[in-house]
Amino acid sequence: MREVLSPAERERAEKIHRSDLRLSYLQAKFAFRTILAAHLHVPPKDLQVTISHFGKPRLPAHDIELSQSHSHDWSAVAVSAMSMVGIDIERSRPLANCRQLACHIMTDQEARIFEELPQELRARKFLELWTRKEAVLKCAGLGLREDPRGLHTGWDEPAVQFGDVQYYLNALPVCEQLVGHLASHAPQKIIMRCMPSQLERQMFSLNREGFQ
């Protein structure tokens, strides 16, 4: 996996002391480059990826927009030739302090709805809202440098206004372990793909060699 990463990505990987987090980072960057390379028909290691001041990845040599998110062992990449995109995923998990976290990301209206939810639904609903907001903020190119309390998305609205721009939101049809959303400037048709078979074979080979 290190062979296709940039020097900066390899350097960052080496600074991650926990082996499980380091492997997760390597897998995410490896998948990112492999998926983009399949779209652009270039070797993964030849992709020149830059990162904006707000953390948004860009490919200066190619006229496409992209976004990436990863959570634990899961990674998602959004690619568009039509408009800006933002994607965010989170592994579904219990959150003991989700009520306290809600104060830091929700508008007053969202918080009132959240307080009325059954206890057993709150963690999942918190993560759903979180991925909606972060997808929009990534699409805007701002990321979490912007206070999410200044963005109202709710849980059901197909489109939201942020600044002077309208953003369209789509829930990702992912498995029970994940929640995720994709945001774009236009109501695009979304094509979902799993890892390319070549990537799956490579990851299977790595796992057999002990990179569990």
Side-chain angles (χ1 to χ4, degrees):
M1 287 185 286
R2 288 181 174 86
E3 291 180 0
V4 305
L5 270 60
S6 69
E9 290 167 339
R10 289 197 295 269
E11 182 179 353
R12 181 177 175 183
E14 294 305 320
K15 292 180 179 179
I16 301 174
H17 298 297
R18 281 181 50 181
S19 60
D20 58 334
L21 296 180
R22 183 169 60 253
L23 178 58
S24 178
Y25 173 83
L26 288 170
Q27 288 174 331
K29 292 302 179 184
F30 180 76
F32 178 71
R33 286 181 169 272
T34 303
I35 290 169
L36 290 178
H39 277 280
L40 299 170
H41 307 290
V42 296
K45 64 181 179 181
D46 291 348
L47 291 171
Q48 299 298 315
V49 182
T50 63
I51 305 296
S52 75
H53 180 65
F54 296 106
K56 188 174 180 65
R58 301 186 185 278
L59 291 174
H62 302 278
D63 190 22
I64 62 171
E65 295 293 335
L66 55 132
S67 182
Q68 181 185 26
S69 178
H70 81 275
S71 180
H72 297 264
D73 292 334
W74 296 88
S75 182
V77 180
V79 183
S80 175
M82 302 295 292
S83 73
M84 301 280 281
V85 289
I87 196 167
D88 193 59
I89 60 171
E90 286 287 341
R91 182 174 64 86
S92 184
R93 59 196 185 276
L95 294 172
N97 59 340
C98 64
R99 288 188 68 186
Q100 296 164 316
L101 294 171
C103 299
H104 299 288
I105 74 159
M106 294 184 186
T107 64
D108 291 342
Q109 182 181 349
E110 289 164 347
R112 285 194 294 271
I113 295 172
F114 182 76
E115 285 296 323
E116 295 173 359
L117 293 172
Q119 185 69 34
E120 63 272 16
L121 295 180
R122 285 183 179 174
R124 179 92 180 183
K125 288 296 185 180
F126 173 88
L127 293 173
E128 286 178 6
L129 190 73
W130 174 266
T131 59
R132 285 172 66 85
K133 287 177 180 269
E134 189 158 2
V136 170
L137 294 175
K138 284 183 174 182
C139 187
L142 299 173
L144 290 178
R145 292 175 181 265
E146 184 76 17
D147 189 344
R149 291 173 295 183
L151 166 63
H152 178 85
T153 65
W155 284 267
D156 301 316
E157 292 88 338
V160 300
Q161 196 80 14
F162 180 57
D164 297 325
V165 181
Q166 191 170 39
Y167 294 86
Y168 294 84
L169 278 159
N170 290 275
L172 301 179
V174 291
C175 68
E176 292 182 0
Q177 293 177 294
L178 290 176
V179 295
H181 284 84
L182 183 140
S184 62
H185 286 170
Q188 301 181 36
K189 178 181 179 181
I190 298 174
I191 301 173
M192 297 287 295
R193 293 192 178 97
C194 295
M195 290 183 180
S197 57
Q198 181 182 7
L199 177 59
E200 288 179 336
R201 287 196 299 269
Q202 290 172 348
M203 295 304 298
F204 178 70
S205 175
L206 289 169
N207 285 334
R208 288 188 63 186
E209 293 172 11
F211 293 90
Q212 300 291 348

